[in-house]
């Protein structure tokens, strides 16, 4: 049992912020047992008192590309072709070198920890060895991650990244090696329909059905790739139709990044299969041009939504900046679609914690039974000289807009404090 | 004479990036005398070698509100009424206390220096004493600033902030006290048409004509305030028409913040009078709803444009984030207005340096005769493990997206290194 005191803030439901000022949080075996305003009778000695700091559930980064870590902030005005050729492909290629991949994976885990993203859904390159290394390092980190080697065997954009048979064989092997329960698991990760053969998708779908492992892919990043899918699969007519046909949606948990231009039938399939949408708002701003996703619409439909940094399509791992971008984009969407209301900061925080966290299970909240994955926020240097007396909720809002990694003073995962970086 | 070596980058014109790798920059009396690839014969001993760091012209923040420093990151989803009432008015009120204003002004100067905004156009509250204090502190800082007490005597939104006669008298006094040439000067700062009486605007316009001092105000922040102006001034029909009538545009340099919804006749008047537009893209994202300004259109017209943080309408003083937001917004504008091309990172950097710097004179470039106002950027911890060999121009781009105050290792203003914060 561990006993913590502090100002605890969490979002039990979309749009709800629960604040327990100077409350008592009890954990057992790394899980939250209770969070109360008054000291529980059964509480043992205090494990840690966080004083006047804010304590939040740790963030979930629901979509990012491991090999792209060195490319953040590069090439956003290049156009897709130049971006892929000058930046994306060279680093993906280099990531096939095991020694390099090992170093890069260590840096990635360290950076995600730094920004408080203690749960992450990560796509690798086509290299199975690099994905295995990332899974191994994550197992030692104490953090949560679903990681997959990317499958990409079809020259939808002219380049074939790998052969079908080894892609399947390597994936099956990894899926069985890292398929057990736990905080770190394999995620079946087809790049996206335009770069996957029918044979590959059928095999991965079968693997998903057999293992129940999560599936992680991209969906409807713009009108042009949607047209490509429509031409190749006229009967299915959209990404979701293709994924559903091959068992890549509906077999186990699935998460689809972007969904910028999902047609009605795709929205219906996402809903039917309970697939998560990984909303990547910083990427939508950095590579603006493909449209802004109607996240409120998805939420109204009951589709589960989380937030992703999508590095290096987005330029930052800082989930506070991702939250702010989600709010900003939602306001811009309202200008185009006045029937949709904007997201509040509290709603965007929900997406970054319990919303996306649900992909991992009972993660992203301080309700009983949830994994005690928490960030302690020391915001004393923000808003100095304010004549206002700010509530914890207002301080939270300010931290989301103005905070950075320097304000995250302690990190807990599954009840254990993560050591210094 | 001082002699510097380093990788110098600057933008002599919109869209042009000049890179002098391991070049030699010579200054005399704080001004750039030459920047050359080869060591000039006349160069004395090296004053400083910046090694492999990048050296950029310091930023110009062309629009911000001093008293709003403590409100960054608060209330952006409140709606204008709640935002003004809960946040804006209380801090503006508190800023009337001289002791508090002195502390806040010191913090503001320190923060602007931290982020490399060594030139700033700053609006105060209605308090003349607080504006005078900020001008005094700026004179001791070595940095550039045009500062004004805000004039706001007309209840356009129901609240009258001050009386007309003292507003004019205090402003005349400050204008004469801080009207001389130099890096720190008074800026005549009517809040905006809806909150200024005819009598006030006439008196301030006369002052502008008599002194040639810069004028700093707001313009066309949205359709609703534009309608208010149209109803009160049907003949002038827009902000610019009113400012021009009263001599607040065209007498000396003028800078107008926002210009989100400027009608054609306003664009023509901005051009005619050479008025600067202070583009505040972070504010346009934080308070999205009033539209996105067609900055490319203004640039095509030859209207001078710079960037502003607009704290606390924007949530950050970090000019790199402001530059990135300008690029992002320009891409969103293209979706609505396909005839306008997006801004590149290099163009946005121009706006943040030489573009806005022109409001101060020969500032924001490393061309001969420009004030040596420079930032040394140590980007060694960005993009670690990159397999790519990045050019200085690529490193610059990455710094703009991913850098923060920690990457600005040294700051120079008028040839003098600014001491530690």
């Amino acid at each position: 049992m561990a006993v913590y005191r502090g100002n605890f803030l969490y979002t039990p439901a979309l749009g709800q912020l629960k604040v327990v000022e100077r409350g008592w949080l009890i954990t057992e075996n790394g899980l939250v047992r209770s969070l109360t305003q008054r000291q529980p009778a059964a509480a043992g000695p205090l494990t840690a008192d966080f004083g006047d700091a804010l304590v939040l559930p740790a963030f979930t980064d629901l979509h990012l590309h491991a090999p792209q870590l060195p490319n953040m902030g590069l090439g956003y005005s290049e156009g897709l072709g130049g971006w892929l050729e000058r930046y994306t492909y060279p680093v993906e290629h280099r990531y096939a070198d095991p020694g390099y991949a090992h170093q890069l994976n260590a840096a990635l885990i360290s950076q995600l920890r730094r920004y408080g993203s203690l749960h992450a859904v990560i796509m690798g390159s086509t290299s199975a060895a690099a994905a295995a290394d990332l899974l191994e390092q994550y197992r030692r980190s104490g953090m949560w991650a679903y990681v997959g080697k990317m499958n990409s065997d079809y020259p939808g954009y002219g380049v074939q990244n790998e052969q079908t048979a080894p892609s399947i064989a390597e994936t099956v092997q990894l899926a069985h090696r890292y398929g057990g329960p736990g905080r770190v698991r394999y995620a079946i990760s087809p790049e996206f329909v335009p770069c996957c053969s029918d044979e590959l998708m059928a095999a991965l779908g079968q693997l998903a059905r057999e293992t129940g492992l999560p599936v992680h892919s991209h969906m409807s990043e713009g009108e042009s790739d949607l047209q490509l899918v429509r031409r190749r699969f006229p009967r299915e007519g959209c990404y979701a139709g293709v994924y559903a046909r091959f068992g890549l949606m509906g077999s186990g948990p699935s998460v689809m990044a972007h969904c910028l231009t999902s047609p009605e039938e795709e929205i219906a399939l996402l809903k039917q299969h309970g697939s998560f949408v990984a909303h990547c708002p910083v990427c939508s701003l950095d590579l603006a041009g493909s449209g802004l996703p109607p996240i409120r619409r998805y939420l109204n439909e009951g589709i589960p939504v989380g937030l992703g940094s999508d590095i290096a399509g987005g330029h930052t791992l800082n989930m506070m900046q991702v939250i702010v971008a989600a709010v900003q984009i939602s306001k811009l969407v309202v200008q185009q679609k006045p029937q949709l209301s904007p997201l509040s900061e509290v709603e965007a925080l929900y997406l970054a914690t319990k919303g996306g966290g649900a992909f991992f299970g009972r993660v992203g909240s301080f309700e009983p039974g949830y994994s005690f994955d928490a960030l302690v926020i020391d915001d004393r240097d923000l808003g100095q000289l304010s004549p206002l007396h700010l509530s914890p909720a207002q301080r939270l809002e300010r931290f989301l807009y103005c905070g950075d990694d320097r304000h995250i003073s302690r990190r807990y995962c599954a009840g254990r404090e993560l050591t210094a970086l």
Side-chain angles (χ1 to χ4, degrees), chain A residues 39-303:
Chain A
Q39 181 172 10
L46 207 54
T47 310
D49 188 333
F50 303 125
D52 195 39
L54 306 176
V55 189
L56 307 179
F59 299 128
T60 293
D61 189 333
L62 208 50
H63 177 65
L64 67 126
H65 295 267
Q68 295 301 321
L69 182 70
N71 276 349
M72 290 189 291
L74 288 170
Y76 297 123
S77 297
E78 288 271 337
L80 187 64
W83 186 56
L84 291 172
E85 195 149 319
R86 289 183 65 182
Y87 299 102
T88 312
Y89 294 150
V91 303
E92 303 250 341
H93 184 77
R94 183 84 173 90
Y95 192 60
D97 169 344
Y100 173 78
H102 184 74
Q103 274 192 296
L104 190 147
N105 289 337
L108 178 69
I109 293 173
S110 162
Q111 290 292 311
L112 284 162
R113 181 170 52 185
R114 177 176 166 192
Y115 286 106
S117 293
L118 307 187
H119 328 102
V121 181
I122 307 179
M123 193 170 284
S125 71
T126 54
S127 164
D133 176 85
L134 184 53
L135 285 154
E136 290 293 339
Q137 290 199 54
Y138 251 116
R139 280 191 171 170
R140 294 192 289 274
S141 75
M143 292 155 60
W144 301 68
Y146 294 165
V147 174
K149 154 200 158 41
M150 183 175 80
N151 302 99
S152 179
D153 74 330
Y154 191 83
Y157 288 102
V159 178
Q160 184 181 6
N161 290 313
E162 59 176 354
Q163 299 299 315
T164 309
S167 179
I168 295 170
E170 287 170 359
T171 304
V172 169
Q173 199 176 29
L174 286 169
H176 288 114
R177 194 158 139 214
Y178 300 99
R183 290 199 289 276
V184 178
R185 299 188 80 191
Y186 191 76
I188 299 166
S189 306
E191 184 175 6
F192 67 148
V193 175
C195 291
C196 295
S197 69
D198 291 30
E199 186 188 346
L200 176 67
M201 287 191 281
L204 297 180
Q206 195 189 326
L207 184 65
R209 272 190 296 268
E210 286 170 8
T211 59
L213 281 173
V215 174
H216 175 207
S217 192
H218 300 85
M219 188 176 274
S220 295
E221 294 188 62
E223 275 306 323
S224 63
D225 67 272
L226 187 55
Q227 289 309 323
L228 213 65
V229 171
R230 279 202 173 116
R231 274 199 299 276
R232 192 168 137 211
F233 296 99
R235 209 168 52 182
E236 288 75 14
C238 65
Y239 277 86
V242 178
Y243 290 141
R245 168 181 152 193
F246 287 113
L248 289 164
M249 265 173 58
S251 301
S254 60
V255 59
M256 299 295 158
H258 302 302
C259 302
L260 302 185
T261 50
S262 293
E264 284 303 314
E265 64 267 31
E266 187 155 286
I267 297 173
L269 284 167
L270 285 165
K271 183 176 177 177
Q272 179 189 329
H273 293 296
S275 184
F276 281 67
V277 170
H279 176 32
C280 306
V282 175
C283 171
S284 287
L285 290 172
D286 284 339
L287 302 176
S290 303
L292 301 174
I295 295 303
R296 173 67 70 194
R297 170 78 203 284
Y298 301 155
L299 293 169
N300 289 345
E301 295 285 350
I303 295 168

